[in-house]
Every structure is written in structure tokens, then in C-alpha cells.
């Protein structure tokens, strides 16, 4: 049958086929299946899954708020929360695109991985639930960390895109075009679903505000109830995913527009990075090392280049359609990736050689591994003959699998940054690369998680070597701390303050009553420069009679940006009575120079204070109210 006769025959014989053919243009002898065939049953299944997800998330939230089971069992609660967040979304986006048997297998595998990640994230925490920022009984040891949630979502996005593309092509390794279409469609769906949920809540809160004008608060009260807000959010997110799934043409158009716009940023980014690389022979690498975050900046720049190169490359079939400037920018950018990554590796190597591995450096090394894969593959593509950058396609697919492997390693005992850093730091301590007196035992306590805690338990009974006593004492002290700020420098003694505070005019000294006062025990300690609290903290003190009574007050300008004006009371107690308006770190040096030079004068206020019922009322001038932070003229 020809296309037209087939269409006429099907419309007459079967209403359902008629609906299908009307929705799909059949103009040839072959049926052209749409990109997404979604039946009403699939739509219903998706919305039911969203309701189940919303109910589950509400139940877990309610358990957490009321501290009931399963929220009391962190090793169980965290995996359940992660599964409730992600597994329904995987099913919702895969329905209609993956055969049920393959979908069931993928769902089981994903559930097992998510549960394992959640379980391990809680297990690895310190047994007394003290983490990087101190004691947190409500969260630490119960909920998964933000980074675990974020990178679990990222890993599932990559894996799910690979699964959907392979299922569409009916093969384990799909065509690159399928990977490209699936990954970008999925990304656009997620972004628009998030936008839709945000718009929904904006409308709901607008409605609540309107009813509040009539003194009706029922809608506002409803929106603040978790049993309503959590399921509604899940349902709205799933609805948006479904609507974008059944309109693939709209999603494709938005994606194309976005990629075209991004691709025209490639020449600018390439010019900037090329200028940076060309400047290095003249400036050297010393300015990079001085920043102490060169590796992170270089990785960020490399990531931008990768994104922009792919925005121009797209599915690999539009190379001949691109302008010459985009093609040349793409080749140059692909070559520039390699030296940037090499500099990043060298920078990280220097830090590791001097100070050993930390958790952040392990993560940076993992990112550099992924960046190296891109750099090698893109350089290969830049120097290859044939279609423009055709080697980018296999590089992207290989790197996607590498990213999954790296994420699995980082969030498991295999390459847990805390475990690797603790092992390395201990090797440095035991081998004598770093003296026990200079070793950071607090790092093991607050960033080593369970591995650091167990190591400190071993070190507090350590008996080998000349530093054994120091190791035992420092390990015991670290274990006793409840947060990383305990054990701050001792409160400054009079001798400490006399030696660290520069007094002006030159030749003057601070009053003994001020030096002998213990400022760390007063409620105003948070207002004081650190030189009055801790030993070896530098600051300047200026003796000025600010009240005209013949007694000198003291103006302290700390190197930490704090300042305070102090006055002695009738009981010989020095108290903070004010501070400099507009003093900041930016203007502080100029202020110090003028004060040292004696370029100061006392002037009456622009507006006198009021006395109301025996109490002084200060009137704030316009410049004070606006915050005059201009530097001195």
C-alpha cells in the first residue's frame, strides 16, 4: 500500500490507529515512528509514580522532623531518602522509551548503587558524629551530604542518558547522535521541570498573598504544610517531565537555540585562554602558585572550553555548516586544553609534594584525570583529518564512562578522599617527613571522618619513636575537641599585648589597667580586635582624648579589620564605647597612616543628640544611615 492509501485504510478501520496516524505525518510507504510514543497508560503511570514519590518523601520528612523511625537509623534512613529522590525519576523518564525488562533491570541496578552510596556516606562519618564543621546531632550521621546528593544526581544523569540512548538504538553502545539527542533532551527536560515547579509555587504564593488581603489565611497555611507542599512539588515535577517528553520538537528547538548561542562564545573563550597561555612565558608560573587555587581556576577554564566546543560540535554532523571562525576556534581550543591540564597537574603535584594529600586534593586529582581524558582526545581530534573534530564523539563517550567510574570510586572505600588523605598524612608523620609538633591532628579529627577518628584512637596509645609522647598528647587533645575552633590561641597576657600592640603617638604606653584586663571573658569580646584576645595578634592603638575631659581613650585598629574605641569606667574597667564609621580593610591602611602622622582633629557633630526623659537619643546623620564607606581623601 502507498502511504496515502494506508493512511485512508487505517483511519476507516480503527479509531485508535486513526488518532495515531493523525498525530504522525505518514507521507511515504514507511511508517515513521515519532521520537517519543507515550500512551495514556504511560502518562497515568508517571503521575502515579510521582504521587508515590511525594508520599514517600513526606513520610521521610515527617520522620526526620519528629525524630521517629526510620530517621533514627542513619544507615537505613539516608539510603531510603536517596532512593525516594532518584528512583521514581528514573522510572518516570524511562517509561515509553525502554523495554520493561531492561527498565526493571536498570532500576534494580540503580537502586542498589544508590542504596550503597547512601549507606556508605553515613557509615564513613565519625562514630561520634563530629564532622568538618563540628557537632551536629540533627544532621550528621542521619542525612546524606549535599555533595553526595549532587554527584549522585550527576552520575545518574550520565548513566541514564547512556541507557536511554542504547535502548533506543537496540544496542549496548549507541550511535553518538543518539547519545547527543538523549542527553540534551534529558537536560532540557530537567531544567524546564525545575522552572515549572518554581513558577507553580510563585503562583500559589501570589494567590496566598491575595487572600491575605482579605484576611483569609487558609491558602497560606496550606502551602506551609509539608503534607501538601512535598507531594505537590513531586507531582508538578513529574507533570513537567511528561509534558516535555510528549513534545520533543519543542525541546529540540530550545536545545538548538541554546547551543547556537553558546557556540558563538567559543571564539571569545578561545581568545582569552590563548592570551593567558601566551602571557605565561613573560610572567612565569610564580603568580599562579601565589594564588593557592590555580588548579581550581584552570579546571574551571578547561570545563568551559569543553562545554563550548561541544556546543559547536553538537551531534558531529553540522561541521560543514559552521562558519570558518567557529571551526578554527574549535581546533585551537581543543589544543589549548592539554597545556592547561598539564599546568594544573603540575600545580597540584607541587602542593601534594609539600603538604601531602588532603580530601580536596584527591577530588582535584580525580577532576584532572577526567580533564586529561578530554585533553588527549580533543588534541587527537584537532590534528585528525576528515570531518571537523570527528574524534570528539568517541572521546565524549569514553569520558562519560570514565566519569561514572571516578564517581563510584570517590563515593566508595576504593578512593574515598578522606581515607586516602588520612593514609597519606599518616605515612608522612610516621616516616618523619613532618614533625609531630607541626602535624595537623585536627585535620584527622574533623576532615578524616571515620578513618581519621580510628587513626587518632590508635595514635593516642602510640609508643614508637622520639615523638611518641607528643603524638599521644596531640591525638588525645584532638579527640576531646567538639569543633575545629576549640583550642584557639591562649588569651593574651599583659606581656603578649605589650609586645604585639603598636602604640601611637610613638613613645606612649597603654595603661596598666587595660593590659591587665581579661577581655576574653567579657560579653563584648566579639567586637574587639584579636590582639586583645589572643597572643601574637598584631594591631595598632591610638591614645586620643575623644571626650575632652583630659583622659585619653584608646582607638584600636586590628589587622583583621575590626576596630574599637575603648573608655575606662569609674571602676577601672575598660569597655567598648564605639567604633569607626566606614573603616574597612580596603581603607584601613590609609587610615593608619593618617593617624600615625597625627593628621586628626576633633570636630563637633553635625547634629546634636537629644535628651528625652533623662536618656540620650542619638540622631543618625544621612551619611551614617547610608553607610559612608569611602576612603579618606
Amino acid at each position: 500500500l502507498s502511504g496515502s492509501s494506508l493512511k485512508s485504510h487505517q483511519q476507516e478501520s480503527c479509531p485508535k490507529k486513526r488518532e495515531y496516524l493523525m498525530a504522525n505525518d505518514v507521507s511515504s510507504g514507511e511508517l515513521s515512528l515519532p521520537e517519543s510514543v507515550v500512551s495514556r497508560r504511560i502518562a497515568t503511570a508517571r503521575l502515579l509514580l510521582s504521587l508515590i514519590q511525594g508520599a514517600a518523601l513526606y513520610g521521610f520528612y515527617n520522620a526526620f522532623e519528629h525524630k521517629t523511625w526510620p530517621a533514627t537509623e542513619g544507615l537505613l534512613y539516608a539510603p531510603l531518602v536517596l532512593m525516594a529522590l532518584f528512583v521514581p525519576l528514573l522510572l518516570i523518564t524511562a517509561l515509553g522509551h525502554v523495554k520493561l525488562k531492561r527498565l526493571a533491570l536498570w532500576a534494580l541496578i540503580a537502586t542498589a548503587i544508590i542504596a550503597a552510596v547512601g549507606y556508605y556516606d553515613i557509615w564513613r562519618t565519625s562514630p561520634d558524629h563530629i564532622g568538618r564543621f563540628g557537632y551536629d546531632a540533627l544532621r550528621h550521621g542521619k542525612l546524606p551530604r549535599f555533595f553526595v546528593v549532587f554527584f549522585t544526581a550527576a552520575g545518574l544523569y550520565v548513566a541514564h542518558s547512556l541507557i536511554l540512548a542504547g535502548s533506543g538504538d537496540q544496542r549496548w553502545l549507541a550511535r553518538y547522535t543518539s547519545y547527543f539527542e538523549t542527553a540534551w533532551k534529558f537536560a532540557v527536560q530537567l531544567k524546564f521541570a525545575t522552572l515549572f515547579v518554581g513558577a507553580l509555587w510563585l503562583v500559589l504564593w501570589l494567590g496566598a498573598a491575595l487572600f491575605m488581603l482579605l484576611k483569609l489565611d487558609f491558602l497560606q497555611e496550606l502551602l506551609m504544610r509539608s503534607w501538601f507542599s512535598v507531594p505537590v512539588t513531586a507531582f508538578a515535577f513529574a507533570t513537567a517531565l511528561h509534558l516535555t517528553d510528549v513534545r520533543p520538537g519543542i525541546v529540540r528547538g530550545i536545545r538548538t537555540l541554546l547551543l547556537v548561542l553558546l557556540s558563538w562564545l567559543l571564539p571569545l573563550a578561545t581568545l582569552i585562554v590563548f592570551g593567558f597561555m601566551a602571557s605565561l612565558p613573560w610572567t612565569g608560573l610564580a603568580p599562579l602558585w601565589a594564588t593557592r587555587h590555580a588548579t581550581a581556576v584552570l579546571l574551571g577554564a578547561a570545563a568551559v572550553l569543553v562545554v563550548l566546543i561541544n556546543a559547536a560540535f553538537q551531534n558531529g554532523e553540522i561541521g560543514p555548516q559552521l562558519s570558518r571562525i567557529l571551526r578554527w576556534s574549535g581546533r585551537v581550543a581543543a589544543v589549548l586544553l592539554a597545556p592547561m591540564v598539564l599546568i594544573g597537574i603540575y600545580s597540584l603535584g607541587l602542593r601534594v609534594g609539600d603538604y601531602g594529600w588532603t580530601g580536596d586534593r584527591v577530588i582535584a586529582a580525580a577532576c584532572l584525570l577526567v580533564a586529561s581524558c578530554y585533553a588527549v582526545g580533543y588534541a587527537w581530534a584537532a590534528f585528525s583529518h576528515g570531518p571537523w573534530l570527528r574524534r570528539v564523539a568517541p572521546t565524549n563517550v569514553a569520558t562519560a564512562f570514565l566519569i561514572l567510574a571516578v564517581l563510584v570510586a570517590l563515593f566508595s572505600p576504593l578512593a574515598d578522599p578522606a581515607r586516602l588523605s588520612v593514609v597519606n598524612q599518616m605515612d608522612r608523620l610516621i616516616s618523619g617527613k613532618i614533625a609531630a609538633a607541626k602535624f595537623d591532628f585536627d585535620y584527622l579529627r574533623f576532615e578524616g571522618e571515620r578513618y581519621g577518628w580510628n587513626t587518632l584512637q590508635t595514635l593516642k596509645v602510640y609508643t614508637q619513636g622520639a615523638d611518641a609522647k607528643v603524638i599521644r598528647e596531640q591525638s588525645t587533645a584532638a579527640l576531646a575537641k567538639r569543633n575545629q575552633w576549640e583550642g584557639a590561641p591562649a588569651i593574651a597576657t599583659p606581656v603578649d599585648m605589650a609586645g604585639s600592640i603598636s602604640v601611637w603617638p610613638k613613645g606612649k604606653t597603654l595603661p596598666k589597667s587595660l593590659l591587665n584586663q581579661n577581655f576574653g571573658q567579657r560579653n563584648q569580646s566579639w567586637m574587639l580586635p584579636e590582639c586583645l584576645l589572643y597572643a601574637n595578634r598584631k594591631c595598632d592603638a591610638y591614645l586620643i582624648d575623644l571626650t575632652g575631659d583630659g583622659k585619653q581613650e584608646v582607638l584600636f585598629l586590628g589587622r583583621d579589620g575590626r576596630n574599637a574605641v575603648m573608655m575606662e569606667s569609674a571602676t577601672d574597667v575598660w569597655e567598648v564605647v564605639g567604633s569607626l564609621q566606614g573603616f574597612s580593610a580596603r581603607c584601613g591602611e590609609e587610615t593608619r597612616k593618617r593617624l600615625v602622622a597625627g593628621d586628626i582633629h576633633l570636630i563637633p557633630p553635625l547634629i546634636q543628640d537629644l535628651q528625652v526623659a533623662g536618656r540620650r537619643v542619638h540622631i543618625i546623620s544621612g551619611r551614617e544611615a547610608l553607610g559612608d564607606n569611602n576612603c579618606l581623601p
Side-chain angles (χ1 to χ4, degrees):
L1 294 175
S2 66
S4 59
S5 60
L6 172 63
K7 183 175 181 179
S8 176
H9 172 73
Q10 296 287 2
Q11 288 178 347
E12 294 175 358
S13 61
C14 182
K16 291 186 177 180
K17 291 290 182 74
R18 182 171 66 252
E19 292 178 5
Y20 172 76
L21 292 172
M22 289 177 66
N24 299 273
D25 182 21
V26 181
S27 58
S28 64
E30 296 179 358
L31 286 175
S32 178
L33 291 178
E35 187 173 332
S36 177
V37 181
V38 183
S39 67
R40 292 181 180 178
R41 290 183 179 179
I42 292 176
T44 303
R46 285 173 169 171
L47 298 181
L48 286 176
L49 281 171
S50 71
L51 292 176
I52 294 172
Q53 181 190 36
L57 290 175
Y58 164 70
F60 294 141
Y61 176 81
N62 188 63
F64 183 80
E65 284 293 303
H66 295 87
K67 301 179 181 61
T68 59
W69 189 91
T72 55
E73 301 292 336
L75 293 175
L76 174 65
Y77 184 69
L80 289 176
V81 170
L82 286 180
M83 287 189 287
L85 277 175
F86 296 120
V87 174
L89 293 179
L90 296 179
L91 296 174
I92 289 170
T93 53
L95 282 174
H97 300 285
V98 182
K99 292 182 178 179
L100 290 180
K101 289 185 179 180
R102 180 173 292 189
L103 177 57
L105 177 61
W106 165 228
L108 288 175
I109 295 174
T111 301
I113 294 174
I114 292 170
V117 169
Y119 180 92
Y120 178 71
D121 184 51
I122 301 303
W123 179 87
R124 71 188 287 277
T125 59
S126 176
D128 58 359
H129 303 323
I130 293 186
R132 188 171 187 173
F133 300 104
Y135 183 69
D136 188 355
L138 285 178
R139 191 211 67 83
H140 208 70
K142 296 295 188 297
L143 289 176
R145 292 171 297 157
F146 168 77
F147 286 112
V148 171
V149 177
F150 178 82
F151 285 107
T152 298
L156 289 174
Y157 167 77
V158 174
H160 198 52
S161 299
L162 296 174
I163 294 294
L164 291 179
S167 179
D169 283 359
Q170 297 296 312
R171 49 194 292 190
W172 288 107
L173 286 177
R175 297 171 297 116
Y176 183 73
T177 301
S178 299
Y179 286 133
F180 169 80
E181 294 285 344
T182 303
W184 274 100
K185 177 189 174 184
F186 195 17
V188 173
Q189 281 184 277
L190 292 174
K191 291 177 181 178
F192 272 85
T194 304
L195 180 63
F196 177 76
V197 171
L200 170 67
W201 279 102
L202 181 63
V203 171
L204 289 175
W205 278 108
L206 176 61
L210 288 174
F211 279 109
M212 285 299 295
L213 296 177
L214 303 177
K215 307 300 181 181
L216 300 175
D217 63 351
F218 70 94
L219 185 54
Q220 178 176 295
E221 290 294 326
L222 182 64
L223 297 182
M224 297 178 65
R225 301 295 181 181
S226 57
W227 58 263
F228 174 82
S229 60
V230 175
V232 164
T233 300
F235 184 82
F237 198 84
T239 301
L241 289 176
H242 174 71
L243 293 176
T244 53
D245 190 55
V246 298
R247 296 291 185 270
I250 298 176
V251 173
R252 189 180 297 110
I254 295 171
R255 180 206 68 201
T256 302
L257 176 61
L258 175 63
L259 292 178
V260 169
L261 293 175
L262 286 176
S263 65
W264 281 102
L265 294 177
L266 179 60
L268 176 61
T270 303
L271 180 63
I272 292 173
V273 174
F274 181 81
F276 166 78
M277 298 300 298
S279 302
L280 289 180
W282 306 98
T283 63
L285 296 176
L288 289 179
W289 311 151
T291 63
R292 298 181 179 272
H293 55 264
T295 302
V297 175
L298 291 169
L299 280 172
V304 169
L305 286 183
V306 169
V307 171
L308 296 181
I309 290 171
N310 280 280
F313 183 76
Q314 296 192 26
N315 60 5
E317 298 176 359
I318 67 167
Q321 305 172 22
L322 295 176
S323 64
R324 183 172 297 179
I325 186 174
L326 284 179
R327 292 200 300 271
W328 275 105
S329 297
R331 288 189 183 275
V332 174
V335 174
L336 289 175
L337 278 175
M340 291 184 65
V341 173
L342 287 175
I343 294 174
I345 293 174
Y346 181 60
S347 173
L348 180 64
L350 290 178
R351 300 294 293 175
V352 171
D354 291 339
Y355 305 106
W357 288 101
T358 62
D360 292 339
R361 290 173 194 145
V362 172
I363 295 173
C367 294
L368 285 170
L369 175 62
V370 173
S372 299
C373 186
Y374 277 119
V376 172
Y378 283 25
W380 178 37
F383 293 108
S384 296
H385 298 289
W388 180 70
L389 296 182
R390 62 190 179 93
R391 302 294 184 186
V392 164
T395 300
N396 286 344
V397 176
T399 308
F401 285 102
L402 175 64
I403 289 173
L404 292 177
V406 168
L407 288 177
V408 170
L410 289 176
F411 293 101
S412 69
L414 183 63
D416 186 335
R419 186 184 71 83
L420 295 182
S421 62
V422 168
V423 170
N424 178 259
Q425 294 297 333
M426 281 302 302
D427 178 70
R428 286 164 48 82
L429 176 63
I430 301 303
S431 64
K433 292 181 180 179
I434 182 171
K438 297 182 179 180
F439 186 77
D440 190 359
F441 291 89
D442 287 347
Y443 177 84
L444 301 182
R445 177 70 171 109
F446 299 108
E447 298 190 44
E449 299 292 350
R450 174 179 293 269
Y451 303 103
W453 191 86
N454 288 339
T455 300
L456 289 173
Q457 293 291 339
T458 302
L459 291 179
K460 72 178 185 179
V461 293
Y462 189 75
T463 58
Q464 301 178 7
D467 293 335
K469 181 180 179 181
V470 176
I471 292 175
R472 290 196 303 270
E473 291 176 349
Q474 294 293 330
S475 299
T476 302
L479 286 169
K481 292 182 180 180
R482 306 303 294 172
N483 60 68
Q484 59 184 344
W485 295 281
E486 284 188 16
I491 294 176
T493 64
V495 176
D496 295 326
M497 287 191 286
S500 59
I501 299 176
S502 300
V503 183
W504 306 94
K506 193 172 182 180
K508 296 288 185 178
T509 59
L510 291 174
K512 291 184 178 181
S513 58
L514 188 150
L515 292 174
N516 292 327
Q517 187 167 316
N518 187 348
F519 293 100
Q521 294 181 352
R522 301 191 61 80
N523 294 332
Q524 294 178 319
S525 61
W526 62 274
M527 302 173 61
L528 298 175
E530 289 188 342
C531 61
L532 295 177
L533 303 173
Y534 308 123
N536 302 318
R537 298 293 195 270
K538 302 293 185 180
C539 70
D540 297 293
Y542 304 88
L543 302 180
I544 309 171
D545 182 8
L546 296 173
T547 59
D549 60 354
K551 294 183 179 180
Q552 291 182 320
E553 285 70 44
V554 184
L555 167 62
F556 287 96
L557 297 183
R559 306 296 168 86
D560 56 352
R562 299 182 190 179
N563 73 88
V565 177
M566 303 198 70
M567 178 186 295
E568 187 177 19
S569 67
T571 58
D572 297 332
V573 175
W574 287 83
E575 296 181 343
V576 177
V577 295
S579 61
L580 290 186
Q581 176 75 17
F583 178 79
S584 63
R586 182 172 64 89
C587 307
E589 191 59 35
E590 183 64 24
T591 303
R592 288 190 182 90
K593 290 180 181 179
R594 298 293 181 90
L595 287 171
V596 169
D599 186 10
I600 54 175
H601 304 281
L602 299 180
I603 59 175
L606 293 175
I607 302 176
Q608 298 292 329
D609 291 344
L610 299 178
Q611 188 176 34
V612 181
R615 296 185 61 184
R616 179 185 293 271
V617 179
H618 176 61
I619 300 177
I620 300 177
S621 66
R623 298 186 69 179
E624 287 179 307
L626 294 175
D628 184 6
N629 290 322
N630 294 325
C631 294
L632 295 175

